[in-house]
Amino acid sequence: MSFPQDLVQLEVAWCRTYDALAAPRPAGHTALRRRLLVLSARLWWHPFWTGPGRMPAARLELRRRARAASARG
């Protein structure tokens, strides 16, 4: 499945924010939580998801690809 680049970038940002928040005693805990909420809403309501057959398997594939991209740096 092909994902729009902005959607992939949102998911990568979500993964990195989540990882930062999961660290022991993260600096800026409240700001990270707020960012995660904003990113979650933007991901959920992205126009890409209005097409047929784009949930939930597509969401899992997006998450897998974003995790791989996040690990690469």
Side-chain angles (χ1 to χ4, degrees), residues 5-62:
Q5 189 60 33
D6 67 323
L7 182 60
V8 174
Q9 290 172 348
L10 276 172
E11 186 67 34
V12 169
W14 189 95
C15 291
R16 289 181 178 161
T17 304
Y18 183 87
D19 290 343
L21 191 57
R25 298 184 147 203
H29 180 266
T30 302
L32 287 170
R33 286 181 52 211
R34 286 182 182 145
R35 178 164 169 73
L36 196 62
L37 286 170
V38 168
L39 290 169
S40 294
R42 290 179 65 197
L43 281 165
W44 184 260
W45 295 109
H46 192 280
F48 175 80
W49 302 117
T50 60
R54 297 202 171 155
M55 292 205 312
R59 288 187 185 272
L60 293 174
E61 177 62 18
L62 176 64

